[in-house]
Amino acid sequence: MTGALNGIVVLDMTHVLAGPFCTYQLGLLGADVIKVEDPSNPDCARGRGPDDALNAAGLGLNYQVQGANKRSLALNLRSTKGIDVLKSLAEKADIVVENFTTGALASLGIGYEVLADINPRLIHCSITGYGDTGPQAAHGAYDNVIQATSGTIGQCGGVKPGVSFVDYSTGYAAAFAVTAALTQRERTGQGTHISVSMLEVAMQMMAPEAAAAQSPATAKRGKEPGIASYDTQNGQLMLGAFHPAQYRKLAKLLQRLGHPLPALADIYDWRDVWAISAETKSVLRDIFMTTDAETWVTHLRAADLPAERVKTLAEAVDLPQLAARGFFQPNPDDDSTALPTTAFHMTGQGTKLHQAPPTLGQHSHAVLTGMGLDAHQIDQLFDAGIVT
């Protein structure tokens, strides 16, 4: 396997979504990712997804979408020998990523300070709901809880978005921090500890709104006009008219199509955008009802205005654009399942899936052999239930 992170060893002590997504991205870039799980309490995502048979096999789709390009070690960290194995792995690893509650690994004797003493070059990334300091540092959290805490649900009119965007954004933030730490280590020779906060990631995802919420001017002016969606004769239209110049383009288009709306032609700065009247908005809604969404998309794109019919997720995953980029790739063990990869290409090449999402403990023997343990030592660990 080649890739930007080829030769980098990652101990993946994560579960659910945010942490596994971070390490999946590292694995797609060529890192050797060893997923360490409790034999009796593995990643709960293994049992989640629409296919009951896959769930029962510990290969639920929620696990598979960030489980490929990893090796699985089922290791009991509630035992002294299991802790010893983990420390031995950490001694030769480059990165540890974990998303346990703050202090949980330290209570087992494998917190950052202990592992850094064993391996000063180790990069240790901790992903938690609120970070490792502050009054909520010890509080557990999931994506929906952070959406509630951060004001995201409030910003969306009291409705929780139907996707786990905080989890996945957090995974990206963690992967970015880890790769930055690798660059830093090249200069200093030293590892570091990274604390990633889901709450702070959620705030980052709402940076303009979060900054405005602290400004006295916001209360006076009200909420900034958003990019609007409109009903049409068939389907809903999302229009990306944002900049003042785009409103003027829209005015020219509407004039050409026989729907003059002079008020839009007079928008030259952001104050004019704020001043668009309710009457003008109502007329615009009526205009968009004169034909279907696809026809409007054709007109708007020809006028250099971003626009799209609001699609279902089932439609979106079949977009030719995604196929052309190779975003979804078949599971190496089951080509009936398509798995998402990276949202970027490097030098024109997409990353490749080379290892199917592993079953629990699928690579335990191989990982232990790679550590230098002989057959007798490995058998002892299996016989004692330390490894499965």
Side-chain angles (χ1 to χ4, degrees):
M1 174 62 188
T2 60
L5 298 181
N6 188 42
I8 297 296
V9 177
V10 180
L11 297 185
D12 175 1
M13 303 174 66
T14 69
H15 52 282
V16 195
L17 295 182
F21 178 71
C22 166
T23 54
Y24 178 47
Q25 295 299 297
L26 302 179
L28 286 169
L29 289 171
D32 177 14
V33 179
I34 302 171
K35 185 173 178 67
V36 181
E37 298 175 78
D38 186 330
S40 62
N41 186 28
D43 186 346
C44 67
R46 286 182 175 276
R48 298 176 61 198
D51 189 315
D52 290 338
L54 288 176
N55 296 342
L59 291 170
L61 201 56
N62 286 25
Y63 160 72
Q64 288 203 43
V65 293
Q66 57 243 339
N69 286 17
K70 300 181 183 183
R71 297 192 290 160
S72 174
L73 169 66
L75 179 66
N76 183 357
L77 294 176
R78 295 186 302 275
S79 66
T80 301
K81 288 185 178 179
I83 293 294
D84 289 342
V85 170
L86 192 283
K87 288 179 178 178
S88 296
L89 286 169
E91 187 175 1
K92 298 180 181 179
D94 296 285
I95 300 162
V96 168
V97 183
E98 52 92 3
N99 60 345
F100 288 85
T101 303
T102 298
L105 291 186
S107 69
L108 293 174
I110 47 175
Y112 168 66
E113 291 77 10
V114 172
L115 298 184
D117 187 58
I118 295 170
N119 178 2
R121 290 175 54 82
L122 187 68
I123 295 165
H124 186 128
C125 179
S126 299
I127 301 171
T128 56
Y130 301 95
D132 61 354
T133 57
Q136 289 188 263
H139 293 180
Y142 290 107
D143 179 285
N144 61 337
V145 174
I146 294 299
Q147 287 197 31
T149 307
S150 64
T152 299
I153 293 175
Q155 188 70 14
C156 294
V159 178
K160 179 194 174 298
V163 292
S164 300
F165 86 96
V166 176
D167 271 328
Y168 286 104
S169 299
T170 299
Y172 263 132
F176 171 72
V178 164
T179 51
L182 284 171
T183 302
Q184 176 179 270
R185 192 180 70 176
E186 286 297 306
R187 296 198 312 270
T188 67
Q190 294 293 310
T192 190
H193 181 260
I194 300 165
S195 171
V196 181
S197 159
M198 293 175 67
L199 175 61
E200 290 162 37
V201 169
M203 288 298 177
Q204 271 192 333
M205 297 300 101
M206 301 185 293
E209 293 82 4
Q214 302 174 73
S215 170
T218 301
K220 188 184 303 182
R221 176 179 270 190
K223 187 178 178 181
E224 182 176 355
I227 298 173
S229 63
Y230 298 90
D231 290 329
T232 72
Q233 286 186 3
N234 183 14
Q236 191 174 31
L237 173 73
M238 182 62 71
L239 171 62
F242 174 70
H243 194 276
Q246 291 174 317
Y247 282 98
R248 297 196 299 275
K249 287 183 180 180
L250 178 59
K252 289 181 180 179
L253 170 65
L254 296 179
Q255 175 73 34
R256 188 163 64 249
L257 295 175
H259 302 290
L261 194 52
L264 298 183
D266 294 329
I267 295 176
Y268 285 93
D269 58 33
W270 295 109
R271 288 173 299 180
D272 295 333
V273 174
W274 279 93
I276 295 175
S277 69
E279 180 183 0
T280 297
K281 293 176 183 178
S282 177
V283 172
L284 191 56
R285 286 194 293 271
D286 290 342
I287 291 172
F288 282 123
M289 278 297 297
T290 60
T291 190
D292 61 272
E294 293 290 359
T295 300
W296 278 116
V297 168
T298 300
H299 288 315
L300 291 162
R301 286 179 178 170
D304 192 30
L305 289 167
E308 186 57 86
R309 177 178 61 81
V310 176
K311 290 177 167 56
T312 65
L313 182 56
E315 290 175 312
V317 296
D318 283 334
L319 284 171
Q321 178 65 23
L322 293 175
R325 296 271 294 175
F327 176 70
F328 291 105
Q329 295 179 27
N331 180 337
D333 282 357
D334 176 12
D335 61 10
S336 67
T337 303
L339 302 176
T341 54
T342 59
F344 57 87
H345 287 196
M346 298 177 69
T347 61
Q349 298 297 315
T351 48
K352 300 297 182 185
L353 296 182
H354 63 87
Q355 166 70 54
T359 56
L360 179 63
Q362 180 176 334
H363 303 98
S364 293
H365 197 284
V367 171
L368 296 176
T369 300
M371 290 172 56
L373 275 63
D374 60 35
H376 178 66
Q377 291 171 312
I378 294 173
D379 287 343
Q380 285 185 318
L381 291 172
F382 274 92
D383 291 343
I386 306 302
V387 176
T388 61

